[in-house]
């Protein structure tokens, strides 16, 4: 049994909500402590995912000490690679080895890209080899959500939840219109 495609009006409200939240955050930035805590939680999640992929950890261990800055409209997060092949936040101000800027003013553009199975448009500046490693991670490392869910709710329930999520994503991708041809987004 498969899920029916979402109604035609589903993507617009999600995109509108994402844009409204982004506008609110740009007008009322969260306190520094809250931003730092959110970044730490994201780093913990990313490290959890990396620990499930020994090959990724080995590749990142070779990058120890290098850093990547992710930026969007004045918001920036700088991460470094540890000797263990994991991520850590950069505490002191320094020039990153690689800077990745998310192109686009509205999160709805990213939602559209994600729903249609595309990567978001990026502007990349810095170390080309480091950029290639980051791209490899994006292309090859996947979170085994079903495995994590199985530890909480059991194998059968986790499989079923995963199946529903995959069907929902397929339906959303069928619904997402094909984007107009635009820039590739990568530059040095």
């Amino acid at each position: 049994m498969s899920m029916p495609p979402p109604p035609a009006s589903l993507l617009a409200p999600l995109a509108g909500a994402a844009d409204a939240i982004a506008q609110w955050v740009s007008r009322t930035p969260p306190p520094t402590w809250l931003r730092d805590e959110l970044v730490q939680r994201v780093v913990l999640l990313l490290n959890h995912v990396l620990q499930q992929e020994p090959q990724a950890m080995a590749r990142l261990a070779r990058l120890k000490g290098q850093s990547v800055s992710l930026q969007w409209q004045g918001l920036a997060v700088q991460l470094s690679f540890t000797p263990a092949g994991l991520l850590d936040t950069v505490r002191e101000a320094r020039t990153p080895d690689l800077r990745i800027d998310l192109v686009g003013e509205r999160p709805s553009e990213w939602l559209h890209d994600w729903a249609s199975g595309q990567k978001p448009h990026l502007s990349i500046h810095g170390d080309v080899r480091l950029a290639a490693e980051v791209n490899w991670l994006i292309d090859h490392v996947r979170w085994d959500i079903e495995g994590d869910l199985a530890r909480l709710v059991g194998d059968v329930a986790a499989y079923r939840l995963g199946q529903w999520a995959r069907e929902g994503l397929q339906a959303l991708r069928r619904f997402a219109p094909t984007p107009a041809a635009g820039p590739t987004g990568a530059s040095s």
Side-chain angles (χ1 to χ4, degrees):
M1 181 171 153
S2 66
M3 285 178 42
S9 59
L10 178 64
L11 192 57
L14 289 175
D19 290 342
I21 291 169
Q23 287 175 357
W24 178 75
V25 168
S26 69
R27 286 191 311 265
T28 313
T32 302
W33 66 268
L34 179 59
R35 186 188 68 81
D36 292 346
E37 284 299 317
L38 291 173
V39 167
Q40 281 299 339
R41 298 306 174 257
V42 170
V43 169
L44 285 172
L45 175 64
L46 292 173
N47 283 336
H48 170 74
V49 172
L50 287 170
Q51 288 173 332
Q52 297 173 2
E53 299 285 345
Q55 184 181 8
M57 288 179 62
R59 291 177 80 118
L60 289 181
R62 294 190 302 249
L63 302 174
K64 66 182 173 193
Q66 292 186 336
S67 66
V68 174
S69 176
L70 305 170
Q71 299 185 10
W72 177 67
Q73 291 192 354
L75 299 172
V77 174
Q78 192 168 355
L79 304 173
S80 65
F81 302 104
T82 70
L86 298 172
L87 299 170
D88 195 9
T89 55
V90 174
R91 309 229 187 278
E92 72 282 350
R94 68 178 196 191
T95 303
D97 298 295
L98 179 66
R99 191 180 89 218
I100 301 173
D101 297 323
L102 285 166
V103 176
E105 295 182 12
R106 300 182 328 217
S108 61
E109 296 169 11
W110 309 330
L111 181 63
H112 179 272
D113 290 344
W114 174 77
S116 60
Q118 298 177 359
K119 290 181 182 177
H121 296 288
L122 305 172
S123 175
I124 301 170
H125 308 274
D127 188 331
V128 174
R129 288 185 183 158
L130 182 55
E133 288 295 326
V134 169
N135 190 56
W136 183 90
L137 289 171
I138 291 168
D139 287 343
H140 293 91
V141 175
R142 296 290 175 260
W143 181 12
D144 181 13
I145 298 173
E146 281 184 36
D148 286 342
L149 277 174
R151 288 189 275 279
L152 296 172
V153 299
D155 291 339
V156 174
Y159 173 78
R160 197 69 176 133
L161 288 169
Q163 185 179 27
W164 290 339
R166 285 187 295 278
E167 288 173 357
L169 182 59
Q170 287 174 353
L172 188 59
R173 285 187 175 152
R174 282 192 306 268
F175 167 72
T178 305
T184 59
S187 66
S188 300

